[in-house]
């Protein structure tokens, strides 16, 4: 099998390689062996392909394999797919026969992914659950940081007067770009591979190592990036990683790194001097290198002396990677010193940048709105101030790193895998370089939501920028504990804003910024009118009418009652308590996977399981007739021979009931049983048909 290397976020300076060859069809056991071997060799992409093929072919929905897939998707930064796989792990409940071996730790990763996908409310719920059930004190501390960050994200307003734009296709490729440095306002340095197609590492590839690239700023934007060729900087078998320039622009510091598979095994600091013919020979920097990973150098000043900041995993740190500094001497640098626990945490601190007494860096250990967020801290001459989150638009729900800014503080660059980047796999696998600039005219909108002239918290405010009757920019904000919302505005644009909240009539307004040429805040106010209370809506259910309980599902080949099912069973318990003479048929159904006789037996076990739950809650056993129909009543296209996803099959793993004795009809409120269906029609107006 060909080797394909995917360099993951931990390295923070390399691009992902993807294998172009199809996965060889083989037995399930061979697939599993190949997947484990690829994982051991840090070949994550091929490992993922083999695990997924095994999962499809084997069909037993092995939770251990599902967990491996979830972890690999997270390593490869495909957060959308990682969320779906971790959701399967978290949904897997303990049974009498077996326990979920990956809980509660899988919940922590699931919550982090939800946060990076911008699903802050759901992330908060999962983090709170994790904190309540976990035992690992370090993980609990990190979960509390993540929780603070998710809560902060719901209330955070963007920095006013800041434009941040993708550097464009001349600079960014489908692979990742790293460590942008503005040598001047019109000259950009960065590291990358800049491949145009999937790179297959099978021994025949040529010159795939990362290099230093430059691009020039012109009237029409950035020129096509060009690599700095030659042997002065490049060395066969090594990647040029992170780079930084001295204050005079004449010294280029960079790392040379070596990998085995996805594992970074060596990274050391080198320096090259600018001469008449370009950058000179690369020399190993003395004193600063050691038996540890050194990456992401940044020139700075402490105690009146020139220092080199960098990230390292050397022993004695607070977390994975910490930030250190070494002081410049005549021949090189002094031994590294840790920046201390004000800056470093049990998480990861990386990509430092220093300017005029202020340190910028990215971290997962301070409260942030995404994965890595950008922070800044001030140097007092003897210590650091508490780090401050840079806020949006510098930070996003994913990873934002390599912040750099010019001496005036008006423009700079960063690298991010935020939505909108060009990525070779998924939407968030790879970093692009973004350029930011303070606007000369800063316009913003301050929206306040009231009801009867009193603050109304929890409203949703939708913001639309309109051009030629088309929406070209859209944003939605909602604060559980606030009623003021800030949006950035552009000059000479038309806008529409809509405010709404459950139980209130929505309201909207339109305005434009035509002719505005001075920095100002435009204030708009909504006063929402409360809706009158509606009488409860009821539905009459006659005898022998099947009622589908759409929240009672089962994991594949399992009869255990999932937590989500209990709200439907509690409804059924109350209904049978309200109608003490009612007798029901409680029927269970399976999907088409497995043999027909086996599925009938499985469905009977599931019906008995639901009955046992009700009997345990006090319902007389003789009032419930459990019936297993197996796969005889499939609701969708997923019959034998049709390939379907697990979610599609799950629709058929359901439970229904119907009244077979007692009252001729019953009356219930529509909103009592969310998502249930009677004779194919949803009880609630919001319920979806299957």
């Amino acid at each position: 099998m060909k080797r394909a290397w995917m360099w993951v976020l931990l390295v923070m300076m390399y691009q992902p390689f993807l294998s172009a060859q199809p996965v060889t069809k083989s037995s399930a056991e061979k697939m599993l062996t190949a997947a484990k071997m690829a994982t051991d060799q840090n070949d994550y992409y091929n490992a993922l392909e083999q695990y997924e093929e095994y999962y499809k072919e084997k069909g037993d929905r092995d939770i251990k394999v599902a967990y491996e897939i979830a972890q690999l998707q997270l390593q490869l930064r495909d957060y959308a797919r990682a969320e779906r796989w971790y959701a399967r792990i978290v949904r897997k409940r303990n049974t009498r026969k077996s326990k979920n071996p990956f809980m509660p730790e899988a919940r922590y990763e699931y919550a982090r992914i939800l946060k990076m996908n911008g699903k802050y409310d759901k992330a908060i719920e999962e983090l709170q659950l994790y904190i309540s059930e976990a035992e690992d004190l370090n993980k609990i501390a990190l979960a509390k940081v993540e929780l603070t960050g998710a809560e902060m994200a719901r209330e955070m307003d963007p920095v006013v007067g800041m434009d941040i734009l993708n550097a464009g296709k001349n600079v960014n490729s489908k692979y990742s770009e790293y460590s942008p440095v503005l040598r001047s306002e019109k000259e950009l340095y960065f590291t990358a591979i800049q491949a145009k197609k999937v790179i297959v590492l099978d021994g025949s590839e040529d010159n795939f190592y990362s290099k230093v690239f430059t691009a020039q700023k012109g009237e029409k934007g950035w020129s096509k990036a060009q690599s700095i060729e030659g042997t002065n900087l490049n060395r066969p078998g090594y990647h040029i990683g992170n780079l930084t320039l001295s204050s005079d622009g004449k010294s280029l510091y960079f790392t040379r790194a070596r990998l085995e598979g996805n594992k970074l095994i060596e990274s050391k600091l080198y320096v090259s001097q600018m001469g008449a013919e370009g950058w000179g020979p690369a020399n190993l920097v003395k004193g600063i290198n050691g038996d540890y990973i050194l990456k992401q150098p940044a020139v700075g000043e402490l105690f009146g002396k020139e220092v080199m900041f960098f990230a390292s995993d050397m022993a004695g740190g607070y977390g994975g990677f910490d930030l250190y500094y070494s002081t410049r001497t005549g021949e090189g640098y002094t031994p590294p010193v840790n920046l201390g626990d004000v800056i470093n945490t049990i998480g990861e601190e990386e990509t430092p940048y220093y300017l005029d007494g202020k340190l910028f860096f990215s971290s997962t250990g301070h409260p942030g709105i995404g994965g890595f967020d950008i922070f800044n801290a001030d140097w007092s001459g003897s210590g650091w101030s508490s780090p401050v989150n840079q806020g949006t638009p510098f930070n996003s729900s994913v990873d934002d790193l390599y912040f750099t800014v010019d001496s005036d503080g008006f423009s700079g660059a960063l690298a991010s895998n935020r939505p909108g980047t060009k990525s070779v796999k998924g939407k968030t696998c790879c970093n692009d370089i973004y350029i930011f600039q303070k606007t000369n005219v800063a316009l913003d909108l301050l929206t306040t939501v009231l009801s009867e002239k009193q603050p109304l918290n929890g409203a949703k405010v939708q913001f639309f920028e309109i051009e030629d009757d088309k929406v070209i920019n859209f944003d939605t904000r909602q604060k559980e504990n606030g009623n003021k919302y800030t949006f950035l505005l552009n000059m000479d644009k038309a806008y529409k804003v809509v405010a709404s909240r459950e139980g209130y009539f929505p309201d909207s307004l339109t305005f434009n910024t035509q002719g505005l040429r001075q920095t100002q805040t435009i204030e708009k106010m909504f006063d929402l009118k409360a809706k009158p209370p509606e009488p409860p809506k009821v539905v009459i259910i006659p005898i022998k009418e099947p009622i589908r309980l759409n929240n009672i599902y089962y994991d594949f080949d399992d009869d255990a009652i999932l937590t989500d099912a209990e709200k439907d069973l509690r409804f059924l318990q109350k209904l049978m308590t309200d109608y003490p003479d009612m007798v029901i048929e409680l029927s269970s159904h399976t999907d088409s996977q497995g043999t027909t006789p086996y599925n009938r037996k499985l469905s009977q076990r599931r019906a008995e399981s639901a009955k046992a739950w009700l009997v345990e809650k006090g319902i007389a056993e003789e009032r419930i007739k459990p019936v297993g129909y197996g796969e005889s009543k499939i609701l969708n296209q997923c019959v034998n021979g049709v390939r379907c996803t697990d979610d599609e099959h799950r629709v058929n793993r359901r439970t229904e009931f119907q009244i077979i004795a007692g009252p001729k009809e019953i009356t219930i409120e529509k909103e009592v049983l969310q998502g249930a269906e009677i004779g194919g029609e949803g009880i609630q107006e919001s319920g979806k048909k299957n």
Side-chain angles (χ1 to χ4, degrees), residues 249-319:
K250 295 181 180 180
S251 297
L252 176 66
Y253 295 91
F254 61 93
T255 55
R256 276 182 180 164
R258 191 162 56 90
L259 291 91
E260 288 182 356
N262 280 27
K263 186 177 181 181
L264 177 63
I265 62 171
E266 181 182 330
S267 180
K268 296 186 181 298
L269 184 63
Y270 287 77
V271 63
S272 174
Q273 304 295 332
M274 175 60 76
E277 298 182 359
W279 293 109
N283 296 305
L284 189 69
V285 177
K286 297 179 181 180
I288 196 171
N289 293 293
D291 294 329
Y292 43 78
I293 300 298
L294 184 157
K295 60 180 183 178
Q296 303 154 351
V299 176
E301 181 183 321
L302 292 180
F303 305 106
K305 298 180 180 180
E306 181 182 329
V307 302
M308 182 69 70
F309 296 100
F310 60 92
S312 178
D313 64 347
M314 69 179 68
Y318 295 91

Side-chain angles (χ1 to χ4, degrees), residues 89-196:
I89 308 301
V90 173
R91 279 204 308 262
K92 181 71 174 178
R93 300 300 179 186
N94 296 332
T95 67
R96 295 176 182 176
K97 298 179 181 179
S98 64
K99 292 185 177 181
N100 187 334
F102 305 109
M103 291 292 285
E105 299 309 318
R107 189 187 303 282
Y108 172 73
E109 299 298 341
Y110 179 48
R112 289 182 61 239
I113 293 165
L114 287 167
K115 181 167 170 268
M116 287 189 285
N117 285 335
K119 300 177 181 180
Y120 295 115
D121 290 338
K122 180 63 175 173
I124 288 171
E125 292 178 12
E126 295 295 332
L127 286 166
Q128 289 171 336
L129 280 173
Y130 174 78
I131 291 169
S132 70
E133 61 192 12
E135 297 180 357
D136 187 323
L137 296 181
N138 281 343
K139 279 283 188 69
I140 291 173
L142 285 171
K144 289 180 178 179
V145 171
E146 297 282 1
L147 179 61
T148 301
E151 291 171 339
M152 178 177 67
R154 296 192 303 182
E155 310 294 327
M156 182 177 286
D157 290 321
V159 176
V160 175
M162 186 64 64
D163 285 338
I164 180 166
L165 300 171
N166 191 293
K169 62 183 180 180
N170 283 342
V171 170
N172 294 314
S173 68
K174 290 184 178 180
Y175 289 82
S176 283
E177 285 71 38
Y178 291 96
S179 57
V181 174
L182 291 170
R183 192 171 182 224
S184 68
E185 185 180 346
K186 296 184 178 182
E187 186 176 17
L188 175 68
Y189 273 55
F190 62 96
T191 58
I193 289 181
Q194 296 268 304
K196 295 182 178 179

